[in-house]
């Protein structure tokens, strides 16, 4: 019974570039990652069996954009134990706004995805994205007579932007310029008051009365 379970630590690392437009809509992303960097031993017996390092690359770019829709290609590649896994898909994302602060549904998007995976799998998916989370549903369909092993339906839930810094809006009021100010007195000791058009001196030249 003890040999049926074994715990191990697996370390991974990655880098992801994520770009949004001025309305915080996904424009492009690119990422690379590696898993099992420490090559953990997963053997149940005395003979060691270390996991091989797995590498992956992914990317997306919105090629067509308007006020409501972003459409573009998405690609994923993985290499593990000499096997190449490739996924290519097209993503159409519809953006919506909800101005009612009492609704549970906030400003967000609905993404529709269709693509093809290695080993003759077709991928269909839909995802709802909100400011701080995303929930998605995907379904794998075998093509060319291939059946999908195991559970072909996948549900995902992702937390996002939990620690993002809120954007600050700075409002600058400019009702007049210094050149339009008249009759300003500089009361520095030993200097004559400056008036009229000569009052266009910067503030560092004297103290305003």
């Amino acid at each position: 019974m003890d040999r049926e379970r074994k715990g191990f630590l697996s370390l991974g690392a990655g880098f992801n570039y994520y770009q949004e437009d001025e309305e915080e809509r996904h424009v492009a992303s690119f990422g690379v990652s590696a898993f099992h960097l420490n090559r953990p031993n997963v053997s149940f017996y005395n003979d060691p069996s270390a996991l091989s390092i797995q590498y992956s690359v992914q990317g997306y770019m919105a090629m067509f954009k308007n006020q409501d829709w972003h459409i573009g290609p998405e690609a994923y590649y993985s290499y593990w134990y000499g096997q190449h896994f490739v996924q290519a898909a097209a993503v159409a994302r519809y953006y919506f706004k909800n101005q009612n602060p009492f609704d549970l549904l906030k400003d967000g998007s609905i993404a529709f995805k269709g693509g093809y995976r290695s080993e003759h799998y077709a991928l269909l998916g839909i995802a709802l994205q909100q400011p701080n989370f995303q929930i998605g549903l995907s379904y794998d369909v075998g093509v060319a007579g291939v059946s999908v092993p195991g559970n072909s339906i996948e549900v995902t839930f992702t937390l996002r932007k939990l620690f993002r810094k809120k954007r600050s809006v700075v409002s600058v009021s400019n009702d007049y310029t210094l050149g339009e100010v008249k009759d300003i007195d500089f009361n520095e000791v030993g200097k004559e008051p400056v008036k009229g058009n000569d009052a266009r001196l910067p503030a560092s030249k004297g103290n305003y009365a």
Side-chain angles (χ1 to χ4, degrees), residues 1-6 44:
M1 188 68 180
D2 294 336
R3 296 181 181 273
E4 295 180 0
R5 294 184 179 182
K6 180 178 180 179
F44 287 98

Side-chain angles (χ1 to χ4, degrees), residues 188-206:
E188 283 192 282
V189 179
K191 292 186 178 180
E192 294 293 331
V194 181
K195 296 184 179 181
N197 292 332
D198 294 334
R200 300 178 182 177
L201 297 175
S204 59
K205 296 299 182 179

Side-chain angles (χ1 to χ4, degrees), residues 31-181:
V32 294
S33 58
F35 305 92
H36 317 305
L37 293 176
N38 57 326
R39 304 203 60 190
N41 179 22
V42 295
S43 174
F44 287 98
Y45 304 95
N46 294 329
D47 295 334
S49 177
L51 284 178
S52 179
I53 300 178
Q54 179 182 0
Y55 303 95
S56 65
V57 181
Q58 60 184 354
Y60 164 81
M61 177 173 289
M63 305 296 292
F64 171 81
K65 297 178 291 183
N66 62 21
Q67 186 64 28
D68 299 322
W69 289 90
H70 278 189
I71 301 176
E74 180 183 78
Y76 175 83
Y77 169 79
S78 176
Y79 177 80
W80 197 30
Y81 282 106
Q83 300 294 320
H84 303 273
F85 176 84
V86 179
Q87 174 178 304
V91 182
R93 185 173 281 108
Y94 173 73
Y95 290 90
F96 59 87
K97 291 185 177 296
N98 188 356
Q99 303 297 333
N100 190 343
F102 300 102
D103 284 351
L104 295 178
L105 199 64
K106 309 299 181 183
D107 293 356
S109 65
I110 300 178
F112 305 91
K113 179 187 295 188
Y116 182 82
R117 289 180 174 176
S118 300
E119 304 173 352
H120 305 292
Y121 294 162
L123 167 68
L124 300 175
I126 185 173
L128 170 66
Q129 181 172 298
Q130 287 288 273
N132 297 117
F133 72 89
Q134 175 176 292
I135 184 170
L137 174 68
S138 63
Y139 182 74
D140 294 338
V141 181
V143 296
V146 176
S147 60
V148 180
N151 188 3
S152 60
I153 300 178
E154 181 180 0
V155 179
T156 60
F157 181 79
T158 307
L159 297 177
R160 58 190 303 269
K161 295 185 177 181
L162 296 180
F163 306 101
R164 65 177 177 176
K165 183 178 180 181
K166 293 184 178 180
R167 296 184 178 182
S168 59
V169 179
V170 179
S171 178
V172 178
S173 177
N174 187 17
D175 296 331
Y176 63 90
T177 61
L178 187 58
E180 297 171 343
V181 179

